[in-house]
Amino acid sequence: MKEGPDIAQIGALIGDPARANMLAALTGGRALTATELAAAGGITLQTASTHLSKLETGGLLTQRKQGRHRYFTLADEAVARLIESMMGLAASRGHLRHQPGPKDPALRKARICYDHLAGDYGVRMLDSLVASGSIDAVGDGLAVTAKGESDLRSIGIDIGSLKSSRRPLCRSCLDWSERRAHLAGSLGKALLSNFMEKGWARRMPESRSVIFSPEGERQFLKLFPLET
Amino acid sequence: MKEGPDIAQIGALIGDPARANMLAALTGGRALTATELAAAGGITLQTASTHLSKLETGGLLTQRKQGRHRYFTLADEAVARLIESMMGLAASRGHLRHQPGPKDPALRKARICYDHLAGDYGVRMLDSLVASGSIDAVGDGLAVTAKGESDLRSIGIDIGSLKSSRRPLCRSCLDWSERRAHLAGSLGKALLSNFMEKGWARRMPESRSVIFSPEGERQFLKLFPLET
DNA sequence: TTCATACTTCGATCGTAACCGAAGCATCCC
DNA sequence: GGGATGCTTCGGTTACGATCGAAGTATGAA
């Protein structure tokens, strides 16, 4: 029975609460320093340091020195997907870190998932893109249609240049709060940065929440209507 | 930073080597007894018992009493997917339980992944189905075409009845040995059972290996040719 | 009933790893 | 240079959980 890859190492790395919290914080997509991650994990800097080196040698994180800071990121999009899918499973099994509180609503409405939009608004956006025929949903897979390509160009997104990257253009990502798919991949990322550049939305510091301005919200809801 | 689902619980469950081995064994899709799982985990029956109850209350396993036996299965296809994707990640990070040994080749060639065919043959089958136009690959998603529906019917698989199940018809599943996608979902399952009913292939006891008979292998390779 | 098998629960041991205080480097600023 | 900040390494404590022996419960067989 000693065959195949070793799941236990990765499981154990994620299995420690402090480390899990740090990883969850990094799902926000931002590179964070050791000190910030220590706070996220609820531990002292020394302890965080050893945890971080374990996560790095385990291949889940990469670090980048910048001056006297050390910035940590998830090693890979694959890691981000694993974390998100574990969140999905955990949510479906009722393993919650706390009961839904007052801070949750904003998070459920719109938040960052690695580098794209998640939560109610993320799900709505994908639904709307599919309903309008901009994106073709086949099974689990997503593809931009010709109509979608021109529609998206009109709001300032060039599909052609996105296609050239090695990263998949569209990918569906299971949303742990909505339990439905939202849009990941390079297009998901491009859309979110587009909103932020236009000033429609901005990130909250120290959190994964995404806040829409009143005008941005109006535009967003108009651009991605819900058909009833 | 106390927001969202608790990954650590699930990670910790998978993080113990004995439990990880038991879960990996269950990825074979068979229901296994506590005694068999104890052997798979390399531990005594008492220890296995406590592990199994933890896994069950954690929502990763379900058990079914049958006489004086207790049969355990993965709770869900979602759990199976998580385990497989962790295997993929572990393999890509070089976390191997042992160096490739003499027993590996059969496993790399064809093995069970929950309930469908994986390994070299699994990847080949999907490639061939896509190349022949039986399956449409859009991004990560897969869909059966009209041609595929009739082709598959001719080998004894009724897509119509599969569609009625709640489970997705096609799903791509990342193969940890080939690092490419193979076919999962109810169609993947149906194809494998079709091969076994025809006597083309059978499972090895105590292992995830799938062994093709000489005639079965001939037929399989003819049915799913590799275009060069 | 008696015995055997399959499994669980109890109790105790033991190892490992998480943790923090303190000290040690490295980098930046003045 | 001196002093601050960011992080790592060391050492020692502590706590949790994995482990197994032994005893207990349930099911089946004789």
Side-chain angles (χ1 to χ4, degrees), chain A residues 56-130:
Chain A
E56 196 188 0
T57 61
L60 298 188
L61 295 186
T62 47
Q63 63 161 304
R64 182 161 40 99
K65 285 186 70 167
Q66 212 165 96
R68 53 183 165 180
H69 294 276
R70 277 197 139 92
Y71 285 96
F72 291 87
T73 343
L74 297 184
D76 212 321
E77 208 195 337
V79 176
R81 274 209 302 279
L82 180 67
I83 304 287
E84 276 290 322
S85 69
M86 285 185 76
M87 282 189 176
L89 197 67
S92 75
R93 306 297 131 115
H95 300 313
L96 295 181
R97 279 189 282 182
H98 76 141
Q99 53 285 11
K103 208 177 141 201
D104 259 349
L107 214 61
R108 292 186 121 67
K109 181 176 172 189
R111 68 173 177 279
I112 287 261
C113 171
Y114 195 47
D115 59 6
H116 53 269
L117 188 63
D120 181 28
Y121 273 33
V123 170
R124 175 190 177 127
M125 181 171 76
L126 178 57
D127 283 350
S128 181
L129 284 167
V130 170

Side-chain angles (χ1 to χ4, degrees), chain A residues 86-99 176 179, chain B residues 3-11 13 54-60:
Chain A
M86 285 185 76
M87 282 189 176
L89 197 67
S92 75
R93 306 297 131 115
H95 300 313
L96 295 181
R97 279 189 282 182
H98 76 141
Q99 53 285 11
W176 57 256
R179 303 214 192 153
Chain B
E3 52 194 32
D6 187 7
I7 308 179
Q9 286 188 36
I10 294 187
L13 284 174
K54 281 179 192 176
L55 287 170
E56 195 188 0
T57 60
L60 298 188

Side-chain angles (χ1 to χ4, degrees), chain B residues 33 35 45-46 49 68 70:
Chain B
T33 66
T35 313
L45 185 55
Q46 310 94 290
S49 180
R68 52 182 164 179
R70 279 202 140 95

Side-chain angles (χ1 to χ4, degrees), chain B residues 86-180:
Chain B
M86 286 186 76
M87 282 190 177
L89 197 67
S92 76
R93 307 295 131 117
H95 301 314
L96 295 179
R97 279 190 283 184
H98 79 336
Q99 53 287 10
K103 208 176 141 203
D104 259 349
L107 213 61
R108 289 183 128 56
K109 181 176 171 188
R111 68 173 179 279
I112 287 261
C113 171
Y114 195 49
D115 60 6
H116 53 269
L117 188 62
D120 180 28
Y121 274 34
V123 170
R124 177 190 176 124
M125 181 171 77
L126 178 56
D127 282 350
S128 181
L129 284 167
V130 170
S132 73
S134 293
I135 287 186
D136 227 1
V138 179
D140 278 341
L142 304 174
V144 178
T145 62
K147 174 178 186 304
E149 195 152 342
S150 78
D151 282 3
L152 288 166
R153 183 171 300 117
S154 74
I155 64 170
I157 289 182
D158 179 22
I159 298 292
S161 69
L162 292 179
K163 270 183 185 160
S164 61
S165 99
R166 230 165 30 109
R167 182 176 174 194
L169 183 62
C170 294
R171 190 185 273 284
S172 82
C173 179
L174 191 65
D175 201 289
W176 57 257
S177 58
E178 298 294 314
R179 301 212 194 152
R180 299 192 33 219

